[in-house]
Amino acid sequence: MQVGGLPGQMTDLNAFENLSQRNWRFAIAQEPLGGALSEAKTQRELARCDVAFYDAIVPGNVELDLGRAGLVEGDPFFGMNIVALRRYERCHVWYTCQFAADAGKPDSLPFLVLEGVDCFADIFINGKLLGSVDNMLIAHEFDLTGLLNGENELLVHIRPAFLESRKFELAPGNAAGDGNWESIRVRKAPHMYGWDIMPRALSAGLWRPVRIEWRSTERIDQYWLSTRWVSEGRAGEAFWYRLQGVDPLSAHYEVEIKGSCGESTFRKRSSVVGVAGRCVFDVENPRLWWPRGRGDANLYNVSVRLLRNGDEVDRHEFRHGIRTIELNRTEIIDAEGKGEFVFLVNGERLFILGTNWAPLDAYHSRDEKRLDAAISLLDESGCNMVRCWGGNVYESDRFFDLCDERGVLVWQDFAMACKLYPQDDDFARKIEIEARSVVRRIRNHASLAIWCGDNECDSVPAWNFWLQTVDPNMNRLTREVIPRVLREEDPSRAYLPSSPYIGPSAFGKGEDDLPEQHLWGPRRSFKTAYYKDSRGRFASEIGYHGSPSVESIKRFISAGKLWPPGNDEWLLHATSAIPGVHNNDYRIELMRLQIGDLFGCAPETLEEFVQLSQCVQAEAMKFFIELFRSRKWSKTGIIWWNLIDGWPQFSDAVVDYYYDKKLAFNWIANAQRPLHLVVREQEPGSEVHELVACNDTRDNLPVRFSLSSVSLGSALLAGEAVSSADSVTVLGEVKRGACEQDMYTIEWCSQRGKGRSHYLAGDPPFDAASYLRWLTVAVTGARGATA
């Protein structure tokens, strides 16, 4: 068995048959299985055991198939329904389909490719065991040479992860959240066992496409195209390849690579002397790939051909962006405040405005259907980076294609999160196989900026008092295994062992001096020293809760439990993933306290709760982004949590599962415009606010501006100035007004267009009715209106 497929588009030299479009059937049975059932290798043998078969959809999840078959009722995301589905965690599932075997092209070999099997499964073709798999996160492929008939049957027997996990050894030196211990050695998306943003949904199924590929016997097996350097008018490229089935002693073989982007082209042909090779070449006047806001995301259409005696025998096509991406970072911020964490693209510093990419759906077979809408939201928000969080699956090739096209950088965590994972050879080997597969699949994407070993695993010892002496730098997975894979497979990409990363110099000193931080803190009032005085240069997680709309809540909470909050349905969708375990039961109460901190009141209706919760979240998220932007380059980026929910819930996301935008979304999009004016927080002991222009463009921008008091109805500051390129420019100062509490309206005009924002001045609590009146004026300019 080989793990992981070759990236790039299929050509007519690599024919394939999409088995996902076949008529699939599934069967399900609970432990314990009888002898005949446990040994069944075909649909006929299963039928003899009185197992019923039902129609299935591939890609799919068993819970969705059960619903279509009428074996379970209702939307699994409504009320407590998803908890009731836990009874299927003990079940075995069989998926099967029949297909006629195409002869394929001459001189070609058939391969079965399963892009996503969840998770422990035996794969049979015509009653013969091809092999077993135990990782849902990567593709699996099998050579079918000599195994196909005219009519064929594929059968996949998926064993329950709930029971398989009990076969593994665990130790007190491991660590996980309650409900997640059984996941430590299981290579499923970590969130599936229940997380603070996702329900427990262990699931099973063929969640990504299944196909038969016919590959040339003489073929390109792997390739990697990388930009070595860029300069004025020229770029240096390196191309590496690995071949299968060639015999340079019996024929003359060549590999040719050529690419074009508009009028810019390159071509290089080199003779093959072995099974692998590398060539370097320069590109004159390249059209560089730039991230959003810095230029066009130029992509070259590239073809790679394998030639035998001048005739083409294999070809692959893909797109390539000519660019360099670097990460300049230090391990700590020293006592003098020196430290760094900054990305450079094509040699230019880039201020990061990004979002965390959480699961698109609890049932990942639906991810692709949700992808376009999520990417559109990403576009609209104005982000130039997306962080693929380590509690998720690895996103599809199409996700990376879309990021390539839009100039959105990708920070990619490996799929480990918030645990102390095993360090033995067997588990290390699993991580090595997984990492190698993932790296080979997505390393050719221009958008891929950085690999990260895991999410928050370096921080885990600090959360568990009995493990506080455990040095995260002894984690061989992120300090030895993954770096070795990257050194071999993708040697030029930046790598961070963990997020946040606690290196040898930082261990034992806490996380306050880390240049890259996750700023969660007390999560109450957002204008506190925890956020304002953070020494970190870069926040890769920071967020604040906000309620979904009333209309959305009614789609997942029963009518009798809509109000008051705090009942079992609210807690489950908060998400306290396993009722009775009390993980994250605090979150609904936290949202109530957040409202109380800003407005000094407790909502009395669902409508009031939603409105005020969304206002608090919007103010907080706007404040975080403006805080970081107004301190550019002392701060170098912010990746806020998060864009969209993967199931209906009360959360930090700024768009709910049903694509209904919360108030924070539009405020974030406004705050992330290339030119944005911000009122800075008063410094201790100061009586003035500074009005500053945050300019993320390469141009000096003349700007005309004004700042007005909403409560007084008069201008406090107005003028014209030049906002300096790629920096922060102080435009003026305004003394704190006669009103201790106020809202300022900021308006400006430049060659980039008009802009409008607001600033909430003074100390909370604010009267909610007054705030809503102010907000209407600040946002619309219409006095006398009600919010």
Side-chain angles (χ1 to χ4, degrees):
M1 180 185 74
Q2 288 183 303
V3 179
L6 184 71
Q9 299 176 359
M10 290 291 171
T11 71
D12 57 355
L13 300 183
N14 288 293
F16 72 99
E17 181 174 357
N18 184 2
L19 297 187
S20 302
Q21 298 176 355
R22 293 286 174 169
N23 293 322
W24 285 83
R25 307 274 284 166
F26 85 102
I28 188 166
Q30 189 163 336
E31 280 275 349
L33 300 183
L37 185 56
S38 63
E39 296 175 2
K41 302 178 181 64
T42 65
Q43 182 174 344
R44 178 175 295 179
E45 291 176 1
L46 286 168
R48 290 174 184 158
C49 300
D50 294 325
V51 174
F53 276 85
Y54 306 89
D55 290 339
I57 292 178
V58 173
N61 290 79
V62 66
E63 295 91 339
L64 305 179
D65 286 328
L66 288 167
R68 283 186 288 266
L71 300 178
V72 297
E73 295 182 358
D75 177 359
F77 289 171
F78 183 80
M80 302 297 289
N81 287 351
I82 202 163
V83 177
L85 292 174
R86 286 199 63 189
R87 67 183 183 272
Y88 293 102
E89 289 183 2
R90 292 179 174 273
C91 289
H92 292 248
V93 185
W94 294 264
Y95 282 90
T96 182
C97 78
Q98 278 74 39
F99 63 96
D102 191 308
K105 296 282 185 179
D107 301 319
S108 64
L109 302 173
F111 287 81
L112 171 66
V113 180
L114 302 106
E115 291 190 20
V117 182
D118 184 11
C119 166
F120 298 92
D122 301 317
I123 317 298
F124 300 91
I125 191 81
N126 299 325
K128 178 180 176 59
L129 178 66
L130 292 177
S132 300
V133 300
D134 61 1
N135 190 324
M136 77 165 284
L137 302 168
I138 58 177
H140 304 277
E141 62 182 49
F142 301 90
D143 188 344
L144 297 179
T145 302
L147 298 177
L148 295 179
N149 306 315
E151 293 293 327
N152 301 274
E153 179 185 84
L154 173 63
L155 181 105
V156 180
H157 173 198
I158 302 175
R159 305 186 304 278
F162 178 82
L163 299 177
E164 291 293 317
S165 66
R166 282 151 173 73
K167 300 176 182 178
F168 298 129
E169 292 289 335
L170 296 175
N174 303 135
D178 291 340
N180 288 168
W181 277 86
E182 62 191 300
S183 73
I184 287 178
R185 286 184 176 270
V186 177
R187 298 312 296 153
K188 290 168 64 75
H191 75 82
M192 298 176 77
Y193 287 81
W195 214 267
D196 58 6
I197 61 163
M198 294 298 287
R200 181 181 174 97
L202 290 196
S203 198
L206 303 175
W207 69 280
R208 275 184 171 159
V210 180
R211 66 181 181 272
I212 305 290
E213 288 183 11
W214 278 266
R215 301 175 184 170
S216 173
T217 54
E218 299 172 308
R219 64 185 183 275
I220 303 163
D221 191 53
Q222 298 177 44
Y223 57 80
W224 179 61
L225 179 60
S226 176
T227 302
R228 298 158 55 222
W229 50 266
V230 297
S231 65
E232 188 70 29
R234 181 175 291 186
E237 297 285 293
F239 178 66
W240 175 90
Y241 58 87
R242 174 76 163 84
L243 307 176
Q244 287 283 356
V246 299
D247 181 6
L249 297 180
S250 63
H252 178 60
Y253 292 89
E254 295 173 290
V255 169
E256 179 192 74
I257 179 171
K258 62 180 181 180
S260 64
C261 180
E263 296 181 355
S264 177
T265 63
F266 61 82
R267 181 180 180 185
K268 180 74 172 180
R269 181 181 289 195
S270 51
S271 296
V272 171
V273 295
V275 296
R278 182 180 65 180
C279 63
V280 296
F281 56 92
D282 292 352
V283 180
E284 299 291 336
N285 299 313
R287 300 185 67 174
L288 299 182
W289 185 93
W290 289 100
R292 178 181 180 133
R294 305 300 289 186
D296 293 333
N298 293 304
L299 292 170
Y300 284 72
N301 294 314
V302 180
S303 67
V304 180
R305 298 196 302 156
L306 175 63
L307 306 166
R308 182 185 63 228
N309 297 328
D311 295 326
E312 181 179 300
V313 294
D314 195 19
R315 181 175 77 249
H316 288 271
E317 298 173 350
F318 62 102
R319 294 183 299 177
H320 172 66
I322 297 179
R323 88 291 180 269
T324 61
I325 303 176
E326 306 164 72
L327 172 62
N328 287 348
R329 65 175 177 86
T330 58
E331 200 169 290
I332 60 170
I333 299 170
D334 64 23
E336 298 178 354
K338 296 179 180 178
E340 194 62 277
F341 193 98
V342 62
F343 287 92
L344 293 88
V345 180
N346 300 326
E348 294 185 4
R349 289 189 300 179
L350 178 70
F351 190 87
I352 297 298
L353 293 169
T355 184
N356 279 271
W357 190 268
L360 287 177
D361 202 289
Y363 298 126
H364 284 289
S365 65
R366 302 195 290 203
D367 286 356
E368 283 300 294
K369 293 180 180 179
R370 293 177 59 82
L371 180 59
D372 283 347
I375 290 291
S376 294
L377 292 167
L378 183 65
D379 273 344
E380 189 178 347
S381 70
C383 288
N384 59 19
M385 177 175 274
V386 59
R387 174 178 177 252
C388 292
W389 170 67
N392 197 4
V393 298
Y394 301 103
E395 290 297 332
S396 66
D397 293 339
R398 188 160 174 272
F399 166 86
F400 287 92
D401 288 339
L402 294 172
C403 290
D404 291 345
E405 295 168 4
R406 286 158 171 76
V408 176
L409 297 170
V410 178
W411 167 318
Q412 179 65 62
D413 284 358
F414 287 94
M416 293 182 284
C418 302
K419 299 180 182 68
L420 290 186
Y421 287 89
Q423 301 292 300
D424 56 85
D425 291 346
D426 182 63
F427 192 75
R429 176 61 178 161
K430 288 184 179 181
I431 296 302
E432 179 178 353
I433 291 171
E434 177 182 315
R436 201 173 297 277
S437 174
V438 172
V439 172
R440 288 179 180 179
R441 179 168 69 86
I442 64 178
R443 65 187 172 190
N444 284 299
H445 285 278
S447 56
L448 183 60
I450 180 174
W451 297 104
C452 183
D454 61 48
N455 172 77
E456 294 184 348
C457 292
D458 276 16
S459 302
V460 169
W463 304 341
N464 298 273
F465 68 89
W466 69 91
L467 295 172
Q468 289 180 2
T469 59
V470 175
D471 184 352
N473 297 287
M474 300 300 290
N475 182 352
R476 66 183 292 203
L477 305 178
T478 57
R479 270 61 171 188
E480 298 175 16
V481 176
I482 293 175
R484 182 175 65 250
V485 170
L486 294 175
R487 186 170 58 251
E488 295 171 358
E489 302 285 354
D490 194 19
S492 61
R493 198 97 48 188
Y495 174 66
L496 191 67
S498 184
S499 178
Y501 167 52
I502 302 175
S505 300
F507 176 60
K509 299 178 182 178
E511 299 186 14
D512 292 344
D513 294 332
L514 300 180
E516 177 254 345
Q517 298 182 2
H518 292 190
L519 292 176
W520 289 109
R523 309 192 194 191
R524 289 277 298 269
S525 177
F526 52 88
K527 287 191 180 184
T528 63
Y530 176 81
Y531 299 106
K532 293 192 291 186
D533 297 342
S534 166
R535 302 185 75 221
R537 298 289 184 262
F538 191 102
S540 46
E541 285 189 17
I542 186 171
Y544 210 82
H545 275 73
S547 175
S549 66
V550 173
E551 293 74 20
S552 290
I553 294 171
K554 289 179 178 179
R555 296 178 68 174
F556 65 89
I557 298 293
S558 302
K561 295 187 176 181
L562 286 172
W563 192 259
N567 57 62
D568 57 349
E569 292 187 15
W570 277 67
L571 292 177
L572 177 68
H573 290 266
T575 175
S576 182
I578 305 175
V581 176
H582 306 301
N583 271 357
N584 307 309
D585 280 4
Y586 69 91
R587 293 200 164 206
I588 299 301
E589 175 64 10
L590 173 62
M591 295 173 74
R592 187 189 68 80
L593 292 172
Q594 289 170 340
I595 294 170
D597 286 344
L598 189 61
F599 296 118
C601 65
E604 296 181 356
T605 66
L606 177 63
E607 290 72 16
E608 186 181 17
F609 175 86
V610 167
Q611 182 181 42
L612 296 184
S613 176
Q614 289 202 8
C615 287
V616 176
Q617 183 192 35
E619 290 285 357
M621 299 297 281
K622 176 177 178 292
F623 175 78
F624 295 150
I625 293 169
E626 293 181 344
L627 177 69
F628 273 69
R629 290 196 71 179
S630 67
R631 296 180 179 180
K632 181 184 182 176
W633 292 97
S634 172
K635 303 290 188 183
T636 56
I638 178 171
I639 305 179
W640 41 269
W641 190 283
N642 66 305
L643 182 63
I644 186 170
D645 283 323
W647 89 303
Q649 62 179 335
F650 302 89
S651 74
D652 316 84
V654 297
V655 181
D656 70 30
Y657 179 76
Y658 306 108
Y659 307 107
D660 197 353
K661 298 172 185 173
K662 302 177 188 177
L663 182 63
F665 178 87
N666 291 326
W667 289 20
I668 288 171
N670 190 51
Q672 295 194 158
R673 294 173 64 185
L675 177 65
H676 185 65
L677 269 57
V678 174
V679 174
R680 278 178 171 163
E681 287 292 287
Q682 290 174 302
E683 295 297 327
S686 173
E687 295 183 357
V688 300
H689 288 287
E690 288 182 332
L691 177 65
V692 301
C694 305
N695 184 353
D696 284 351
T697 77
R698 294 193 185 93
D699 302 320
N700 294 325
L701 297 175
V703 59
R704 187 170 64 251
F705 61 88
S706 67
L707 183 148
S708 304
S709 164
V710 173
S711 62
L712 298 177
S714 60
L716 304 178
L717 182 68
E720 297 181 4
V722 175
S723 174
S724 298
D726 223 8
S727 61
V728 176
T729 303
V730 177
L731 302 179
E733 296 180 345
V734 58
K735 288 188 177 181
R736 190 157 180 170
C739 302
E740 288 299 313
Q741 293 182 331
D742 203 348
M743 184 176 286
Y744 301 152
T745 297
I746 313 157
E747 297 179 274
W748 65 93
C749 181
S750 76
Q751 65 192 56
R752 289 275 177 156
K754 295 181 179 181
R756 187 182 185 97
S757 187
H758 75 274
Y759 173 77
L760 186 60
D763 298 322
F766 295 84
D767 175 70
S770 298
Y771 168 87
L772 293 172
R773 286 196 301 272
W774 292 349
L775 188 60
T776 299
V777 175
V779 172
T780 68
R783 289 194 167 274
T786 56

